[in-house]
């Protein structure tokens, strides 16, 4: 728990005790063991000193004690910095109340390199689409509690010693060291309750640390553990994509003027509930073996159990358009924003037939989870007064698992209409009972299981040689090698519902005695801002339990009673292996009134993508089975396929230069330029196609993608006009030579909905070019009597060469932080705003997040020098996350997550 904080996070200059030697600091910067911080004012003065003496353009946040970041989540803390943005989801799971992805200066989170103590950290995601559909290179901060962090260093300019992978910058999380503890023994602990205003539940969160170092301060040990629970309830409406009306649709054939008009395929009222449990720990051992030889060993483990249930009640637009004709409709900006459909088709090939216009969809994901761990060893050897050699070796692994994902869908022929209303669409129809399906052939139940693994073994060797001759101060050089592997495997089993379906005929699935209930009262117009929103029915948990028991719990193996056995879902599988070999040389330079560095990093990548390719085989006869080539796999119900290995090797040369000039005693000018690179998302390289059956869309990869290359420029002017005060302006430009964008194509694939092949609209990546430019402003000002404020704002203009938007680029971002810190009381309010930005393609349809601002606060009261009471509130105003497609007339989603309140006590001895 964050109690009386000695460090305040805000603008770039406000930040930072940087523990450990960082390449971003000048060679003559004061060492961390000289830092003495006694309050916010002193910490701000020290932060300014660190910023002034650094070679590179850096930002930082820090925490002197466990849990003292002024935000519960590291990502939330980072969003206070100029030029940094956060998001609360990386795929189609929708937005939540906790940020878990970070991007720098208008780029995608996948283009931000995240390390811990300078080395890679494998990641995992609990949500199933993040495991097989959109598998990026961004790190999930869900697995990185703020309690483990001593400092976070953000490098906005590149130098050759920094690990490549960040196009616009990189983020390094620093662990604590036992040798930095002030006392021989240190014990810290916090206990708090986490309350959600929508679930109305309070969950426990406990963190503890024990640290020790010997009297000679040559051996230090820290052992830390955390256990945190949270309860989530999210109210939402989702529109799962838009599609063009065609002449082959019943609607397009009857009303030719609607051909080409975009129409919503599915409009759903969704209730998402989740119980999260995060547990794990970190341990570090620092040992100064001799005056010349030092070691640091560190280990980290984090496990997140994220069991969840998602009830959705949907208008099935694609079915109505395909088989029915609206009796009235409204078109705006080439979008069918309103329509009314009769119960029975009155024209076209389905005349006289009742049309299924409503779908009840209930999904349970018990024990959905993610995990991350690493083991790392650092060694430093001072070979002479001039030469220092450092080595690092380690292994890291992350997983994301969906052990089972049972769900069922039932639909009903009912007259239905929809129209714009507030933040989304109001849908009007009669309720259907998920416990009494009509028995049409496409009702079905299915269970899925997916596992995604991310792992890397790495080692590096660095040397620093002190020259101290002329303009050259020292030379750094090093080599690094890493073996990285990312893989996803998936299986499912299913059967058809209805009175004549496989589930019923096998005696496995029926709805006898099922009593579904209404959504909770909070799911209403006040929560989502959609007047007249229908209150639908939630699936009965007993029914979903039957799915788990009868369709299978996700364990591979035969279940003899099942009509359709578990199948390998190869369209959602992929595997990518990379071998990265890198080397660099960096010269630290300087003279009277100036300093900097210049260097070159060379990165060689050997890439192997294993792509599942569908094939056609000769049809079976009564005497001859299906014939395929020897390398074709024919055991999946999704059709025959083979695994194609695609190999690529490429070498990237990455020069960089950073210069700082003392214009006067109070004014600094910084100039920097570099070539940067990041590798494409793993799922983009995997090539395999993942499908969404309800609206016949999917996403696929491209194993021939080139890495993202950029030429970046940075300049800043900093004015240190008073103690603990700063005014600064920064400008930057990124020329993206091989940016990854997305297009669409059509493919024919099999679906278990009706056991037929259908045309799917597939989104797939390709290389293009683009650019972004921007400016950052920041002001830091203590006032008087313990009061002060920090403010920063960023403007970014970015687009692809075609004019299309870049993923993650908000034009305007700003932060305003006000604080009071005097005596035993510390109070802080922080408002963060970012304008709309392009999220990407979700189910082959564009998705943009609307303007979003949130107000957070904290208060800390020190009862004694060892005991502090705290309270923190996130999203105080209960701001809603809103998304739209191409225009605001095409709403994609609106979510209400409520307010999170953390209250408790913290002790230190």
């Amino acid at each position: 728990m964050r109690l009386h904080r000695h460090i305040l996070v805000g603008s770039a200059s406000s930040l930072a005790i940087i523990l450990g030697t960082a390449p971003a600091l000048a060679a003559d910067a004061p060492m961390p063991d000289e830092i003495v911080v006694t309050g916010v004012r002193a910490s701000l003065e020290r932060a300014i000193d660190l910023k002034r003496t650094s070679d590179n353009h850096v930002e930082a946040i820090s925490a002197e004690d466990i849990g003292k970041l002024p935000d519960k989540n590291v990502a939330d803390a980072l969003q206070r910095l100029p030029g940094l943005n956060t998001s609360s989801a990386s795929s189609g799971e929708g937005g939540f109340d906790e940020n878990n992805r970070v991007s720098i200066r208008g780029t995608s989170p996948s283009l931000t390199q995240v390390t811990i103590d300078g080395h890679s950290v494998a990641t995992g995601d609990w949500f199933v689409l993040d495991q097989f559909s959109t598998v990026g290179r961004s790190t999930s901060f869900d697995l990185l509690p703020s309690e483990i962090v001593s400092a976070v260093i953000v490098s906005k300019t590149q130098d050759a010693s920094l690990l490549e992978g960040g196009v616009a910058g990189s983020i390094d999380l620093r662990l604590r060291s036992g040798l930095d503890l002030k006392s021989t023994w240190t014990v810290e602990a916090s206990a708090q309750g986490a309350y959600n205003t929508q679930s109305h539940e309070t969950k426990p969160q406990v963190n503890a640390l024990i640290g020790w170092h010997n009297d000679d301060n040559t051996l230090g040990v820290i052992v830390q553990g955390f256990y945190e629970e949270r309860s989530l309830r999210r109210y939402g409406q989702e529109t799962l994509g838009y599609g063009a009306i065609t002449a082959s649709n019943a609607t397009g054939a009857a009303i030719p003027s609607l051909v080409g008009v975009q129409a919503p395929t599915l409009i759903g009222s969704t209730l998402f509930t989740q119980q999260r449990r995060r547990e794990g720990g970190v341990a570090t051992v620092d040992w100064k073996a001799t005056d010349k030889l030092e070691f640091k060993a560190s280990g980290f483990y984090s496990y997140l159990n994220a069991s969840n249930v998602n009830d959705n009640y949907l208008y099935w637009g694609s079915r109505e358009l395909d088989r029915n004709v609206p009796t009235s409709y409204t078109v705006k900006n080439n979008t069918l924003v309103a329509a009314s459909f009769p119960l029975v088709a009155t024209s076209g090939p389905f005349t006289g037939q009742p049309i299924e216009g409503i779908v009840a969809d209930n999904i349970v994901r018990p024990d959905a989870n993610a995990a991350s761990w690493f083991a790392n060893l650092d060694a430093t050897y001072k070979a002479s007064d001039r030469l220092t050699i450092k080595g690092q070796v380690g292994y890291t692994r992350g997983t994301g698992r969906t052990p089972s994902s049972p769900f069922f869908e039932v639909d009903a022929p009912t007259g239905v209409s929809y129209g714009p209303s507030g933040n989304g669409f109001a849908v009007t129809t009669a309720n259907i009972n998920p416990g009494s399906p009509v028995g049409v052939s496409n009702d079905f139940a299915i269970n899925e299981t997916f596992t995604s693994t991310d792992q890397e073994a790495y080692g590096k060797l660095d040397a620093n040689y002190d020259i101290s001759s002329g303009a050259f101060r020292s030379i750094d050089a090093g080599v690094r090698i890493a073996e990285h592997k990312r893989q996803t495997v998936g299986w499912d089993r299913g059967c058809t519902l209805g009175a004549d379906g496989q589930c019923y005929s096998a005696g496995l699935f029926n709805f006898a005695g099922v009593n579904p209930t209404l959504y909770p009262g909070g799911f209403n117009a006040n929560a989502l801002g959609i007047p007249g929103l229908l209150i639908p029915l939630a699936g009965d948990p007993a029914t979903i339990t039957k799915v788990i028991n009868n369709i299978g719990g996700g364990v591979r193996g035969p279940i003899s009673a099942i009509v359709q056995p578990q199948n390998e879902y190869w369209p959602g599988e992929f595997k990518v292996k990379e071998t990265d070999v890198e080397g660099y040389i960096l010269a630290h330079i300087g003279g009277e009134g100036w300093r900097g560095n210049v260097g070159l990093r060379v990165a060689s990548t050997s890439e192997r993508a294993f792509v599942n390719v569908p094939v056609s085989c000769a049809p079976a006869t009564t005497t001859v089975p299906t014939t395929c080539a020897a390398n074709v796999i024919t055991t999946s119900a999704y059709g025959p396929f083979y695994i194609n290995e695609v190999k690529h090797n490429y070498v990237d040369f990455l020069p960089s230069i950073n210069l700082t000039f003392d214009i006067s005693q109070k004014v600094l000018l910084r100039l920097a330029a570099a070539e940067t690179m990041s590798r494409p998302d793993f799922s983009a390289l995997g090539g395999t196609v993942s499908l969404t059956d309800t609206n016949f869309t999917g996403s696929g990869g491209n194993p021939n993608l080139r890495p993202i290359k950029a030429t970046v420029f940075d300049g800043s002017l900093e004015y240190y006009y008073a103690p603990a005060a700063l005014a600064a302006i920064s400008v930057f430009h990124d020329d993206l030579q091989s940016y990854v964008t997305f297009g669409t194509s059509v493919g024919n694939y099999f679906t278990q909905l009706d056991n037929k092949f259908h045309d799917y609209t597939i989104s797939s990546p390709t290389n293009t070019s683009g650019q972004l430019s921007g400016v950052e402003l920041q002001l830091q000002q203590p006032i008087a009597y313990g009061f002060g404020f920090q403010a920063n704002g960023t403007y970014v203009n970015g687009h692809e060469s075609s004019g299309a938007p870049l993923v993650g680029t908000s034009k305007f971002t700003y932060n305003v932080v006000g604080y009071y810190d005097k005596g035993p009381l510390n109070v802080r309010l922080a408002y963060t705003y970012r304008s709309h930005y392009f999220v990407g393609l979700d189910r082959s349809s564009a998705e943009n997040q609307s303007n979003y601002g949130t107000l957070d606060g904290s208060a800390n009261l020190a009862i004694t020098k060892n005991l502090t009471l705290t309270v923190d509130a996130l999203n105080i105003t209960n701001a809603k996350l809103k998304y739209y497609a191409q225009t605001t007339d095409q709403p994609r989603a609106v979510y209400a997550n409520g307010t999170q309140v953390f209250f408790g006590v913290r002790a230190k001895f």
Side-chain angles (χ1 to χ4, degrees), residues 215-538:
D215 293 336
D216 296 333
N217 206 31
T218 58
L219 180 63
V221 179
I222 286 180
V223 178
Q224 182 177 345
F226 53 86
Y227 179 90
E228 301 172 338
E229 293 186 19
R230 289 178 57 223
S231 174
L232 283 75
R233 176 183 287 176
R234 186 190 69 185
Y235 306 136
Q237 185 183 84
E238 299 171 333
T239 302
L240 301 181
Y242 289 80
I245 300 173
T246 68
S248 62
N249 298 138
T251 295
I255 310 174
S257 62
L258 291 181
V259 173
V261 171
Q262 295 288 315
T265 57
L266 289 162
I267 302 172
S269 298
T270 174
L271 171 65
F272 180 92
T273 57
Q274 185 177 57
Q275 299 296 323
R276 292 192 181 188
R277 185 184 77 251
R278 182 169 61 191
E279 56 191 358
V282 61
T284 62
V285 178
D286 292 84
W287 179 37
K288 295 181 179 179
T290 69
D291 291 340
K292 295 185 177 182
L293 184 62
E294 298 181 16
F295 296 95
K296 179 175 183 178
S298 59
F300 166 77
Y301 174 76
S302 179
Y303 171 81
L304 175 68
N305 184 288
S307 300
N308 62 89
V309 177
N310 192 75
D311 291 306
N312 209 343
Y313 193 74
L314 306 104
Y315 151 72
W316 197 350
S318 57
R319 175 59 63 94
E320 292 284 3
L321 294 168
D322 189 50
R323 302 187 177 191
N324 211 344
V325 179
T327 56
S328 63
Y329 60 89
T330 302
V331 176
K332 184 178 180 181
N333 290 335
N334 198 45
T335 303
L336 193 70
V337 297
S340 295
F341 293 92
L343 169 64
V344 177
T346 57
S347 62
F350 297 94
T351 299
Q353 295 186 23
I355 307 302
E356 300 84 25
I358 291 292
V359 177
D361 180 75
N362 304 106
I363 306 175
V364 133
R365 301 184 184 96
D367 295 320
N369 65 82
S372 176
W373 67 272
F374 68 77
N376 182 76
L377 177 64
D378 289 282
T380 301
Y381 177 62
K382 192 171 181 61
S384 68
D385 291 340
R386 290 177 175 263
L387 178 62
T388 301
I389 300 173
K390 296 182 179 181
Q392 184 182 76
V393 62
Y395 177 80
T396 180
R397 180 181 174 90
T399 58
R401 291 191 177 97
T402 302
S404 64
S405 182
F407 66 93
F408 68 92
E409 291 187 354
V410 296
D411 51 45
T414 175
V416 61
S417 62
Y418 73 91
S421 177
N423 292 321
F425 290 116
V427 179
T428 304
T429 187
N431 277 316
I432 68 167
N433 188 343
S436 302
V438 296
V440 294
S441 61
N442 56 357
D443 289 341
F444 71 99
I446 197 168
N447 191 15
E448 298 176 326
T449 173
F450 283 92
T451 299
S452 174
T453 57
D454 181 32
Q455 55 189 328
E456 180 175 297
Y458 58 86
K460 70 173 184 176
L461 189 66
D462 301 281
N464 172 267
Y465 187 75
D466 184 10
I467 298 177
S468 300
S469 175
F472 289 91
R473 296 181 175 181
S474 64
I475 298 290
D476 291 341
V479 294
R480 179 181 183 271
I481 185 170
E483 292 278 354
H484 199 110
K485 177 182 177 182
R486 191 71 181 256
Q487 182 176 13
T488 292
V489 295
W491 296 76
D492 68 20
R493 55 166 67 94
C495 56
T496 305
L497 301 178
D500 57 350
Q502 296 166 316
C503 293
Y504 276 118
S505 61
L508 300 174
F509 196 95
N510 63 70
F511 295 92
V514 171
N515 295 302
T517 59
L518 287 173
Y519 277 20
F523 192 97
N524 55 27
N526 291 330
L528 297 178
I530 305 176
L533 181 68
L534 181 69
I535 304 298
L537 294 167

Side-chain angles (χ1 to χ4, degrees), residues 37-60:
V37 178
T38 58
V40 170
R41 179 63 179 264
S43 69
L44 297 181
E45 292 177 353
R46 180 59 185 154
I48 287 178
D49 182 51
L50 289 170
K51 187 173 183 68
R52 294 181 73 169
T53 57
S54 65
D55 280 354
N56 299 0
H57 187 171
V58 300
E59 320 283 7

Side-chain angles (χ1 to χ4, degrees), residues 511-764:
F511 295 92
V514 171
N515 295 302
T517 59
L518 287 173
Y519 277 20
F523 192 97
N524 55 27
N526 291 330
L528 297 178
I530 305 176
L533 181 68
L534 181 69
I535 304 298
L537 294 167
D540 178 42
T543 300
I544 304 175
T545 300
K546 292 176 184 178
V547 179
I548 298 173
N549 294 335
N550 296 328
I551 309 303
V555 179
R556 188 186 309 185
I559 295 181
S560 58
I562 284 291
V563 175
Q564 188 173 348
Q566 189 173 32
N567 302 294
E568 183 178 3
Y569 184 64
W570 58 264
E573 295 181 339
F574 71 89
K575 180 168 64 176
V576 177
K577 293 183 176 180
E578 289 178 349
T579 300
D580 304 325
V581 179
E582 302 131 26
Y584 76 91
I585 185 168
L586 177 73
H588 295 276
I589 56 178
E592 184 66 29
W594 71 281
R595 63 186 183 276
N597 57 65
V598 59
L600 174 68
R601 188 177 188 89
V602 181
S604 172
T605 304
S606 175
E607 176 187 281
R608 299 165 63 195
F610 298 84
V611 183
N612 294 337
V613 181
V615 296
S616 298
C617 302
T621 67
T622 55
T623 58
V624 180
T626 301
T627 57
C628 277
N631 65 333
V632 173
I633 301 168
T634 60
T635 54
S636 173
Y638 290 94
F641 70 101
Y642 72 95
I643 302 174
N644 183 35
E645 182 179 355
V646 182
K647 298 180 180 180
H648 289 288
N649 295 280
Y650 47 85
V651 177
D652 294 289
F653 295 88
L654 307 172
S656 62
I657 184 170
N658 291 270
L659 296 173
T660 299
F661 300 94
D662 298 323
I663 303 301
S664 69
Q665 288 186 342
K666 296 183 178 182
V667 179
L668 295 181
L669 173 66
R670 300 185 190 274
L671 299 173
E675 290 281 338
T676 63
M677 67 88 72
S678 181
R679 300 171 181 90
D681 285 352
F682 292 107
S683 57
L685 290 170
T688 306
V689 175
S690 60
L691 304 172
T692 302
D693 294 331
T694 48
N695 61 356
F696 302 127
T697 63
S699 60
N702 178 0
N704 296 311
L705 286 173
R706 303 188 307 276
I708 298 96
K709 292 288 295 293
T711 304
V712 300
F713 302 94
D714 180 274
S716 63
L717 192 64
E718 302 163 4
Y719 177 35
Y720 302 88
Y721 57 91
L726 168 69
I729 180 172
S730 304
V731 294
F732 56 89
H733 174 79
D734 296 354
D735 181 22
L736 304 167
Q737 293 109 34
S738 53
Y739 185 74
V740 174
T741 188
F742 285 84
T744 60
S745 60
V746 176
N748 193 256
Y749 297 92
F750 178 82
T751 175
Q752 291 193 40
L753 272 174
D754 52 12
N755 296 321
K756 295 179 181 179
F757 282 86
H758 293 270
D759 285 338
Y760 284 72
T761 301
I762 306 298
S763 60
S764 54

